[in-house]
Amino acid sequence: MVNCDFETEFNELITRIENVFASKLSCLSAKKYLTGLISPVERKNGWQLSEALGETTPYVLQQFLYRGRFSADHLRDRLQTYVNEKLGEKDGVLVVDETGFLKQGKRSCGVKRQYSGTAGRIENCQIGVFLTYASSKGHTPIDRRLYIPKDWFDDQERCKKSGIPDTAMFQTKPEMALEMIQAATDAGVSYSWVTGDCVYGDYRTIRMWLEEQRKCYVFCVSGKEYLQEEYQKVSVSSILKNLDNQNWFLASCGDGSKSARVYDWQVLEIKIPVVEGWKRYLLVRKSRSDGELRAYVCFASEVVSVQKLVEVAGTRWTVERCFAESKSEVGLDEYEVQSYAGWYKHITFACLAHALLTYLSYCSLDAKTIAQHNPSSCSLAGFKKKRGLHV
């Protein structure tokens, strides 16, 4: 167990980020904002954060996000360094995925009626693409991109009002994910594996780039994806239809909320020449309840264990936990900003707050430290009563 306490670790994090800000006043506002995000407040909106911090109005914090002259990307760089030093492992896993932020109206940057996995349907929302880091010490977001739908770029006046940079161009979610993986690699984040769902697995450019870097991956792919086998292309759906029913083995891909997630699995070698010492595999997962099949394209050392491929496939679920924890504990989705820059600033602070709590949880090896700062452990009524506010 690592020895650390909340106050010491919090002050260290503030020291790490203070040179991102141009003035002491701005740095103080940053400290207040981060303090608010990890405070036991039921909702992390402007008024409640301000009340928790002793401010009479939310305007100080709002102006800090609206007009603060600091780079959210520089703040992100400090986040990655912190996570790499505190949670990093050589065998770390990068996970890519997106989450929705439900919104009303049309002013929030990038908002549109679009499919949100968070809601499970088409909703008026913003979509954020995230890169998270997972190791045996914990999991936390380390980068983020705001997805701007293509039709937004057809309305330059709307883009200007939202603060979208003139240099910004439309990018697909997989293109954003690849940029974040590349940036994390350039920043020296320690990892050996990358995983994600079929939105990213079907985008071969990510897979090809990782192979060039000699980085392993386990990506879910859809049935329509084609794999090159020697001199022919074969669809994943056709491979799944012709599986040998004798080659299944039972394995757990990690613990779920109630018990181990156990499935039947098969591993097929994809026979196409690659770099010496490396191989491509097709990992197939079958549900023991309904027989549903899920396919993963893998790239790894020729001596990799089957259990390792299964383990990395299961690591993808940590991104869902990151989203749930970040939204419930540090207000990832409770921002009131509408601008492009404001979104990046708030989201990056929320990622910093989650990283801090993740490391404190790792240090304590139990839920005690997190519970002291988890908003779900304190009702708004209780919070107001403690501070003599009207309930």
Side-chain angles (χ1 to χ4, degrees):
M1 178 166 60
V2 180
N3 291 320
C4 64
D5 64 84
F6 173 78
E7 185 176 357
T8 300
E9 197 61 32
F10 179 80
N11 289 334
E12 179 191 329
L13 183 57
I14 294 300
T15 300
R16 285 171 177 265
I17 68 174
E18 61 184 1
N19 64 358
V20 171
F21 309 97
S23 68
K24 289 184 178 180
L25 182 60
S26 183
C27 186
L28 178 60
S29 295
K31 184 176 181 179
K32 285 185 175 182
Y33 199 70
L34 194 57
T35 299
L37 292 179
I38 59 178
S39 68
V41 183
E42 188 170 344
R43 286 188 59 80
K44 310 290 186 177
N45 59 35
W47 278 104
Q48 291 189 24
L49 285 183
S50 298
E51 288 177 349
L53 296 169
E55 299 283 348
T56 56
T57 72
Y59 303 133
V60 172
L61 293 183
Q62 288 174 348
Q63 290 304 308
F64 172 64
L65 289 185
Y66 294 156
R67 303 182 185 277
R69 294 187 177 182
F70 64 92
S71 168
D73 283 347
H74 289 168
L75 197 61
R76 182 273 321 273
D77 295 343
R78 303 303 189 278
L79 164 67
Q80 293 190 349
T81 300
Y82 179 78
V83 170
N84 199 42
E85 291 182 13
K86 300 294 185 176
L87 304 174
E89 292 177 341
K90 183 179 179 181
D91 212 30
V93 183
L94 299 182
V95 189
V96 291
D97 203 358
E98 74 271 0
T99 189
F101 301 92
L102 302 183
K103 292 292 169 183
Q104 296 179 347
K106 300 180 179 180
R107 293 185 179 180
S108 296
C109 186
V111 72
K112 180 183 179 179
R113 283 192 59 79
Q114 54 194 326
Y115 180 78
S116 166
T118 305
R121 58 184 181 272
I122 293 176
E123 285 283 358
N124 199 58
C125 65
Q126 293 170 299
I127 299 293
V129 181
F130 285 78
L131 181 70
T132 66
Y133 185 82
S135 72
S136 66
K137 300 175 183 179
H139 47 264
T140 193
I142 61 170
D143 205 350
R144 66 289 171 267
R145 293 286 192 280
L146 178 60
Y147 173 73
I148 310 294
K150 195 171 185 178
D151 55 10
W152 264 73
F153 290 98
D154 297 331
D155 188 341
Q156 289 301 309
E157 184 63 26
R158 190 184 191 193
C159 288
K160 186 176 181 179
K161 287 181 179 179
S162 295
I164 298 174
D166 293 338
T167 55
M169 299 187 302
F170 172 74
Q171 286 184 298
T172 65
K173 296 165 191 173
E175 287 170 342
M176 290 179 166
L178 177 56
E179 279 193 356
M180 290 191 287
I181 294 169
Q182 292 171 333
T185 305
D186 292 341
V189 174
S190 182
Y191 75 96
S192 295
W193 296 85
V194 181
T195 186
D197 66 18
C198 61
V199 172
Y200 306 96
D202 283 1
Y203 185 61
R204 299 174 198 171
T205 307
I206 294 180
R207 295 175 2 220
M208 295 303 100
W209 186 85
L210 290 170
E211 290 186 14
E212 290 172 1
Q213 310 305 310
R214 305 296 184 267
K215 294 291 187 180
C216 309
Y217 61 72
V218 178
F219 275 111
C220 186
V221 289
S222 68
K224 66 181 181 182
E225 175 66 346
Y226 281 82
L227 303 179
Q228 184 73 42
E229 285 201 341
E230 295 183 327
Y231 303 108
Q232 62 177 337
K233 289 184 177 181
V234 182
S235 70
V236 170
S237 59
S238 66
I239 295 174
L240 296 182
K241 289 178 182 178
N242 295 291
L243 288 174
D244 187 337
N245 286 326
Q246 304 302 313
N247 291 330
W248 295 104
F249 62 92
L250 191 66
S252 167
C253 57
D255 292 334
S257 58
K258 296 181 180 179
S259 60
R261 297 192 301 268
V262 178
Y263 296 91
D264 289 316
W265 302 84
Q266 275 197 44
V267 175
L268 309 172
E269 183 181 335
I270 301 174
K271 297 181 179 179
I272 180 173
V274 291
V275 181
E276 185 176 351
W278 297 76
K279 286 186 178 180
R280 295 193 188 110
Y281 307 86
L282 185 69
L283 176 68
V284 182
R285 188 191 81 191
K286 182 169 73 171
S287 170
R288 296 180 65 78
S289 60
D290 58 14
E292 180 189 22
L293 298 178
R294 185 67 56 87
Y296 301 82
V297 172
C298 313
F299 175 76
S301 162
E302 61 184 4
V303 296
V304 70
S305 70
V306 170
Q307 183 56 46
K308 185 62 181 180
L309 298 178
V310 170
E311 175 190 317
V312 176
T315 303
R316 199 200 74 78
W317 275 294
T318 60
V319 72
E320 304 294 346
R321 291 170 62 186
C322 280
F323 292 150
E325 292 166 0
S326 297
K327 290 178 179 181
S328 68
E329 294 177 8
V330 297
L332 185 77
D333 61 342
E334 293 176 348
Y335 53 90
E336 296 168 318
V337 293
Q338 296 179 332
S339 69
Y340 181 90
W343 186 89
Y344 275 92
K345 290 173 181 177
H346 168 81
I347 295 297
T348 308
F349 270 111
C351 292
L352 274 167
H354 186 271
L356 172 64
L357 293 183
T358 299
Y359 181 61
L360 288 170
S361 181
Y362 163 68
C363 290
S364 66
L365 298 181
D366 57 39
K368 182 179 179 180
T369 302
I370 292 296
Q372 292 172 346
H373 304 282
N374 189 340
S376 64
S377 67
C378 177
S379 69
L380 179 59
F383 161 73
K384 289 184 174 180
K385 188 177 290 186
K386 278 184 180 180
R387 290 157 179 79
L389 302 172
H390 178 68
V391 179

